[in-house]
Structures are given as structure tokens and as C-alpha cells.
């Protein structure tokens, strides 16, 4: 078996056109369109049928690279209506649950769909993501983002006010919560989640974390842990190796907990 | 569709028996065996047919919780013959590639199999992990670890000296490298990897990182980046919220790069 | 001018006897006493009249080094009755005030005297540290620690319950607060401190920080800032350079503010 | 004794005029001059004879605060010809030496004089800073900076090419090195430094650190340690407490070592 054929760039594919660290573009290939930067133009039709990894030249003779977008690229380059979860945080959180191909997962709220597409990707064709959001316009934008990334088949979007009783699912394998008041969702989440399984949530402020942890304790969640994941870039250059001097210093505190079935 | 049935604990299942933060055991359920801690004994046969999330009592009357192991739990609780990659690092690295259900991935070296099982989980039944290791005894231990976690079907182990030309695969979707001298593998990796796709590698020391980056540059890899992921636990307690006072302060520097197809 | 003479080890001097990273002892030189480790014994009388920097040998023939204790060594090697402030935190805090030789400073509470001795050192013979503590036994221990370090002349210890009105000084150049409920001291501190000058305080928990900041705002302090200082050790070894793998990950949040004189 | 009198703002004093976090100005009081921001103008003559801590109003009726500059303010607000050492780093390094009032210290290179003024402040009227720099124009700028801060009396500037043998002093209490190739200074530093005393140095890149550590080892320095000090700001606001989202992520690696006197 070879999937060499699959590694050829086709119409509608997402390609990461990379020139250098400051010029990298997640681009959907549409014949007739051009991509332009100060290093020159390229016709997207010229890269169709080329393999991923292809090195081309702009009309100014500068190199560009046709790279495969990573999952992180797909997330980070969505059209944003909201702040999004970062790969450093989401990668950790996914491993803190038990989800994989075939899982059924609730996400709340949909936001820009960055998380939605990653969940949809990892649960695969046999799984399903139930994505809740109270703003119709956010869902519209998120649906386009997820569709463009190729993962919309296994997502069911629901526009609903975030209340205490609204989930239409039971026995889901994990619940991902990204809303400003996550504690309000805990009762509904405790109903929808499979016993022993994982709820994860993240918030930028300490007060939110504290209130969420109290809500989880009050609803018999166990093994509650809060982590912060800090990413530090190392610059490896001829003149020397050192951490980057400026950058992102905080995104969110990450909470994980597991549902227990209280005895009667 | 419901998979409630699947959430019942059965013989051979892996259960995370949790008493408190200092007493948590990843346990394979085997009737006739007992689990003991200073908080008392429990018979594993007593939890068969109970749902995940079940709260039981030891013979001393202390609570224990039957929780679903997360992917991170499966990794961290392998029987170790080597140091292993940490969830904070691996979660980030997986998102830095394009792998998902159905992917074909090379891993080198197998080590204790912690990475192997996570890759096998996320590539799912239609994917395959080619896992290389030069020590037969490591493979034996890793195979048991992966088997116990339930993901051995889609792994092909190969015992081979790590040279420059040995991979038996072409067009794999990603290569994960965890060996002391990763630069020696770059030529072979450059052949086996699909164009435009991702190689990731990690090392504890700066010198290793520098030499690896130089090897990647020499073999036309592009978009090379080095990150460090630092995990910080927050303690959320009645008496106050604060970061934990002592803990792990370094594991590894993480490298990612993408293969380009040099022009002729 | 030369102070070579002063660099000779004399009876009663504090010497940092260093054998390796695991064997380093802040020792007061007393003839007739011996220092012992698993690398052998040395007679303290043998190092009298030797210069600092002297390399001696234990009775087992192993090297030891007679080093000058740094200010950080003096702090870290006090006999402790309490947790102490760390050099990484205190160094930063001192620079966040305007104190120097000749300053008058209030400290509360005395604790083990680690902060006391550093303040006493930097304000010099023309300055004074007013050190308050409610526990007599803590003062006794701290006085011995500060005396041994040689800085007791410019310290005035007061044993007093921490209330709202008790400072006997006005117009001090800075106030250093290290108590569990620093907000209770803010009114008294606002009276004792010179206009425009600096109050610093530190606490391990977020809630303490929040309440302290609110108290400072309520008493017209301005330019309030909260920082955390994280120390990371780099291991530089033949086999490679990397951060240390385990260590201290949190000590305290540091608060600084300046007093303004409200208009009438 | 009261030094209330000294807390009145006088002609030539340095005042930190603070309006808010984005509008803060280290200003030398000169009658006849005005300070202007988008929040309005103020005449500097109007704050003469006011106490530090005074709250005034601009011509637009907006508050400003006349605060005492901290040592960190003096450092950070120098006129820069070079990058400067940060308070978080310098505070730690000062405590890693034994210097205090009366010490004799060598600094190399002078740079913008930020370090010079802090050393001059803490060694006080009985100490002296020998500050070396190879660029005459840097010394000129540094001298003005140190003079404006009020600490120039105890500094001796020398313009000299940085070689291996040039220090004109012996038996200094500490040496502070901030040059791109600190290893070239180690032989000269080993001569000038008192036995058992402290050399500190800092560099942004790992390679510099490694080479410096090797040079220190080759010249019999002991107790060599490398640290990194990371500062993290916490935002304490009505809407919640959290770390700042973006900021400085690396300045320098800090090296400290102590001179031993090799036996003959």
C-alpha cells in the first residue's frame, strides 16, 4: 500500500505556503487565484499536481515551499471571531482525556471552531463532536472554518443558550468547556458525561479557576487538577542559541476532572 | 446510539483506581487479585460489571474511585526501561504534525512504548505505527505495555541498529525521533517521509538540539522550530491558590521541521 | 589603599567551606572545633590566618575550599524558625525600593532574620533597620543569626503584636512586609512611610495578593505592581547544557507600591 | 533624628512623575521647564518644595504623582547606548556576591552605566567602583547617567581595550562582567579579585555561557553556577487575577563563581 498519490496537491487542498518565518500562508488552492507577498506573486494553478514539499519560485525569483499544514496550523489560521485555544494547551488537554477514533465528545462553546476541527479530526469518521454555541454568527463562521479544514462531516452544531439542562446527549466520552462561566455548565455536564470520564475546561483568570474547581467538587467530580502550560521558543542560530526575548507569557489555566457516580 | 454498555468494567480492562493524589493505581482487572494500599484492600472481582466512575470502599471503609484512564495515564504508568516522553511535550508535538486516524507513522526508538501506544491510539484501526528500536529487550517490554493498553494491533515493531539507510517504509505521514543522536537518522528520515510532512524530535541538551537543527538544515528541511513546554501545577485549596512549590523544571527541547523536495 | 589584610581568615569569621555542590557549610571559625563530612575532617584552627580562597585537604586527603560567603549564603544558611525570603525575590525587591547606605527601614515580621541581615548590610553603619515581630522566640533566634553574620549593630528589634497603629517611627525610606495578613498593616505602614517611597510585601497565595492590592488601593498607594520571579538553574556539563530537571517552582508573589499624600 | 526635610523635592532632584502605567517619566527638576503628556502639562517649578508623594494636577485637571524613583527606575530610565542589565537579574547577582557599603568593585564594560550607578549606590561613600569600557563615547554617556542619578563620586571610569592583563587594581571584592566575550577577561579577573570572592557575568547565548564556564574552570574558579531569572507580571484587576499575556521571555544567563588560590 502506498498513499503517494494522496500527497499530490489538488484543487481545494489546504497548503501552507512558506517563504520564511514572517511569510507563511495557509492557502486553499483555487485555480485562477494568486498569492502575493512582498517577495513576489505565485499562481495557485501552478502548484496543482505538484507534490507537497514542492519548492517553487515567485515571479521575482524567490523560493516558496508548499508544505502540509499541521493540525496546529489549521487551528491557528482559522478566521477568528473569538480568542482560540492554543496548541500547547489543547495538545495537553486531549491527552488528559481518553478520546480517540470513534469517541463522542461535547464541546462548549464553539467559538471560532479551532477546537472543533481538532476534536473532529482525532475522533475520526466513526466519532462525533456535539458543538454548542449560543451565537448563531459564531457557528456560521466556525462551520466554514471546520469545513475548509475538511472535518465538518462529524460535527453537529447546536445554537443554544448556555443553561443548566440543555445537552441532548448522554454518555459522552469527554466534555471540553471554553466559556467565561464554566461553573454554570457543571450540572449539565455531570449528566451528559460517562461515569469515570473526563471534563476539561480552561480560563484565563484565577478567580474563574477557583469557582470552577468548587463547582466540580460540589458535583462529585474527582481527581481535579489545574495546570498551566508555558511555551518557550528557543532560537537556534549561527550566532548562538537562546530563548526568544519576547513572546506570549500567559494564555489560560487548564482544569481537568473525572466524574464519579455518587452512591445512593 | 449509546455506548453505555461499553462503560462497564470488564475483566482485563485497565482501571485507574484512585484514592487520593498519592494513591492512584493503573490496574488491569483480573478476578482473584486484590489491590492493597495503606487505606485498605479491595478485591478486583468486586468491581467487575460496575460502571466506570463507581465509588467503592476498601475493607477499612475508605473510598476508592474506579476511573477511566486518560491517554496520559496510559503513557505515564508504563513499565519503564527508559525515560519517557511527557504528555505536555507529546500533546504539543502531535498537533505539530498532520497525523490523525489512518496515518502511517515511523517512531524511533521504541523505548518503553509510551509514545508508541499514543501514536497507535490516534492513528486508529486504519493507520499503522512502524516502531524501530535496537534493543530487543526494550521491544519486549514495550510490546507488553502497548498490548496491555489495547493498541498493539496497529504497531509493527522492528529491532534494528540505528543506521542511515534502514527504514523499510516510504511516504510516511510523520516521523517521531527519540534517540540520543537524532542527527544520524536525518538522511534516512528524509527518504522515508512524505514531501511537505513533519519530522519531530526531542532532546534534553542544547548541544543535541543545535546539532540536530544543523542536520535538518543540511538535508533541506524547512520551517525548523525549537520549543520548550513547561508545565506548572496550580494548587487550588481552601487556604489559597498558588503554584506548586516544587516539581519538574525541564524534560526536553522539542524540534519540528518539514521536508521539502529539493529541485533538480 | 589595600585591604589585603582583611582577606585573611580570623577567629569568629564566617567561612563557606566548600567541597562540592552537596557538601558546603557556612561555618564560624572557632579554634578547637572540627568540621566533618564523609570526605574527611578538618581542624578549624588550621585555616586561621589563611587567606580566603585557600585550598586545604581533609584528613582523608580530599580538597576543601575556604570561600567568602555571599550575602545570599548568609541568608540561606540562617537557623530557620520560619520560611525565609529567597535571594531571587529579595534582590529584586531591594532594587524596587530606593534604599541604600544610610536608609531607615521598617521590617515586619522578623522571622528568622534572613531579610533583617540583608537590609542591615545594605543600609550600612549610618542606617537603621527597625525589625518588628510578635514572637519573642523568633526574635531571639533572629538576633543570633544577624549577630553571627556581623550586622546586628544597626538593627533595633521590637516584639509587638501586629496591630494597626504601632510603628514607633515616621518617615522611613521603605517598609518590607512578610506576614500572612499584610493588609492589616497597610494603615500603619501608610503613616510610617515617607511620601512617595516604597512598600514591598510578598505572599505565596493569590488571594493574599488580591486582598493586599485592594488594601493598598484603599489607602491611596499608587504604582502598585505584582511580579513573580522564577529562578531556573542551567547545568553546564561536559555531556551537555540543559536546565536542571527538578527544583523549586514557586516561592511568593511580590508586591510593590508607593505612598502618595492625599490632597485635602 | 528625622530626615523629613530630605523628603522635599528640590531643584535638580530626580522625580518619577507618574500618571498611569503608560505615562511615567523619570524627570530631573529644573525650574523653567515643563513636562507634557496627552493628559496635560505641568510646570516643574510648581513641584519644588513639595514633598515626595505630592499629588498635583496638569493644566487639563488630570492627577499626577511625584514619586521617589527606585533603584530599578534609575537603571531602567538611563539614556541607553547599549542593552542594559535588568533589575531582576542584577538584584539576584548583587546578593550572589559579598559586596556592601565600603566594597571595592570592578565593572566591565561600563555600557550605559545602569549597573555602574547601582554598584556605586550600594558600595556607598566609602567604596569605589572601577568601571572599564573600551568606547570613549559610551563612558561619556554613562558618566552623565551616573551623575544625574547622584552616584558619580565613587566611580572611576577607565577607557581601555579589553585585554588579558589590564586591571590596575588588586584585591577587589567582586568583579561584574558584561561583555560579549567574557572568557577573555578571566585571566585578568583572576589576578584582580580577592581570594574566595565573587566573579559574576551574564550572557544571552548558551554558547557564551559554556565557553565562560570552561574558562572559569581552567582558572581554578570554584562553585560555578548558572541561573536564569524569569520575571512574570501578575495583573490584579477587578475582572480577575492572571499573569500578563505578553512580555519579556529572556534576557540573559547569569554566571557566578568564586576564586580559589591554587596551591603551589
Amino acid at each position: 500500500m502506498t498513499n503517494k498519490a494522496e500527497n499530490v496537491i489538488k484543487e481545494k487542498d489546504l497548503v501552507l505556503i512558506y517563504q520564511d518565518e514572517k511569510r507563511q500562508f495557509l492557502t486553499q488552492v483555487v485555480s485562477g487565484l494568486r498569492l502575493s507577498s512582498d517577495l513576489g506573486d505565485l499562481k495557485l494553478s501552478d502548484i496543482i499536481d505538484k507534490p507537497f514539499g514542492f519548492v517553487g519560485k515567485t515571479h521575482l525569483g524567490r523560493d516558496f515551499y508548499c508544505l502540509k499544514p499541521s493540525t496546529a496550523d489549521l487551528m491557528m489560521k482559522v478566521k477568528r471571531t473569538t480568542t482560540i485555544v492554543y496548541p500547547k494547551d489543547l495538545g495537553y488537554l486531549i491527552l488528559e482525556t481518553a478520546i480517540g477514533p470513534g469517541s463522542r465528545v461535547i464541546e462548549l462553546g464553539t467559538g471560532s471552531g479551532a477546537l472543533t476541527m481538532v476534536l473532529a479530526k482525532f475522533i475520526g469518521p466513526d466519532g462525533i463532536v456535539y458543538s454548542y454555541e449560543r451565537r448563531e454568527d459564531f457557528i456560521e463562521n466556525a462551520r466554514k472554518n471546520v469545513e475548509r479544514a475538511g472535518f465538518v462531516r462529524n460535527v453537529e452544531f447546536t445554537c443554544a443558550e448556555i443553561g443548566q439542562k440543555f445537552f441532548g446527549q448522554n454518555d459522552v466520552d469527554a466534555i471540553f468547556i471554553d466559556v467565561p462561566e464554566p461553573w454554570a455548565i457543571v450540572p449539565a455536564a455531570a449528566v451528559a458525561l460517562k461515569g469515570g470520564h473526563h471534563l476539561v475546561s480552561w480560563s484565563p483568570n484565577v478567580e474563574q479557576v477557583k469557582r470552577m474547581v468548587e463547582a466540580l467538587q460540589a458535583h462529585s467530580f474527582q481527581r481535579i487538577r489545574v495546570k498551566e502550560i508555558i511555551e518557550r521558543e528557543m532560537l537556534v542560530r549561527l550566532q548562538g542559541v537562546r530563548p526568544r526575548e519576547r513572546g506570549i507569557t500567559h494564555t489560560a489555566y487548564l482544569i481537568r476532572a473525572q466524574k464519579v457516580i455518587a452512591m445512593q
Side-chain angles (χ1 to χ4, degrees), chain A:
Chain A
M1 173 184 114
T2 171
N3 32 14
K4 204 166 206 163
E6 293 167 21
N7 203 36
V8 167
I9 297 168
K10 296 184 295 292
E11 182 90 26
K12 298 247 176 151
D13 274 359
L14 286 179
V15 180
L16 197 291
I17 307 283
Y18 178 82
Q19 294 180 310
D20 58 29
E21 282 302 294
K22 297 195 170 168
R23 296 170 186 87
Q24 37 187 315
F25 312 94
L26 185 66
T27 309
Q28 189 162 30
V29 177
V30 179
S31 351
L33 294 189
R34 312 174 77 85
L35 182 73
S36 299
S37 84
D38 59 328
L39 300 183
D41 292 4
L42 63 103
K43 285 194 258 183
L44 292 176
S45 57
D46 285 354
I47 66 172
I48 292 179
D49 291 335
K50 295 287 188 305
F52 276 97
F54 172 75
V55 186
K57 287 199 184 291
T58 67
H59 85 286
L60 297 177
R62 307 296 291 264
D63 283 351
F64 66 89
Y65 306 95
C66 298
L67 303 180
K68 181 74 177 178
S70 69
T71 305
D73 291 327
L74 298 180
M75 289 174 66
M76 295 303 285
K77 309 271 188 185
V78 292
K79 190 176 163 208
R80 299 190 193 186
T81 53
T82 57
T83 60
I84 65 166
V85 62
Y86 276 68
K88 70 180 176 75
D89 293 328
L90 183 54
Y92 172 80
L93 286 170
I94 287 175
L95 296 193
E96 282 288 313
T97 72
I99 68 166
S103 294
R104 297 167 63 246
V105 183
I106 286 175
E107 169 200 34
L108 173 89
T110 307
S112 304
L115 169 60
T116 322
M117 71 176 61
V118 179
L119 293 176
K121 172 168 192 172
F122 286 112
I123 53 118
D126 299 328
I128 185 159
V129 179
Y130 302 102
S131 185
Y132 287 85
E133 169 63 53
R134 60 181 198 160
R135 286 189 54 173
E136 193 73 49
D137 54 333
F138 284 7
I139 291 185
E140 276 326 291
N141 176 64
R143 190 195 303 275
K144 278 180 206 151
N145 282 327
V146 180
E147 197 154 38
R148 192 173 84 133
F151 302 113
V152 84
R153 254 172 334 173
N154 304 302
V155 183
E156 191 176 303
F157 291 102
T158 303
C159 187
E161 190 58 37
I162 293 160
Q164 296 213 351
K165 288 265 160 61
F166 68 85
F167 291 122
Q169 290 74 38
N170 284 317
D171 293 312
V172 298
D173 295 292
I175 299 186
F176 286 73
I177 302 179
D178 181 11
V179 298
E181 304 197 345
W183 49 86
I185 313 303
V186 171
V191 172
L193 189 61
K194 274 184 182 170
H197 282 62
H198 304 80
L199 177 153
V200 298
S201 175
W202 53 101
S203 298
N205 294 331
V206 173
E207 289 87 341
Q208 291 168 303
V209 169
K210 196 170 183 184
R211 194 157 169 191
M212 182 59 173
V213 167
E214 287 163 0
L216 290 166
Q217 288 168 333
H219 285 81
S220 298
F221 280 84
Q222 283 288 339
R223 218 177 167 219
I224 303 167
R225 284 187 202 153
V226 182
K227 298 272 175 88
E228 198 184 358
I229 300 288
I230 298 167
E231 181 182 314
R232 221 173 170 213
E233 186 166 4
M234 294 295 284
L235 302 178
V236 180
R237 294 171 174 170
L238 268 186
Q239 63 267 41
V241 176
R242 60 174 169 70
R244 184 180 283 280
E245 288 99 336
R246 300 190 67 86
I248 291 173
T249 47
H250 178 65
T251 55
Y253 295 107
L254 314 178
I255 306 171
R256 56 88 78 208
Q258 285 177 265
K259 172 182 167 181
V260 302
I261 299 174
M263 293 165 297
Q264 47 276 12

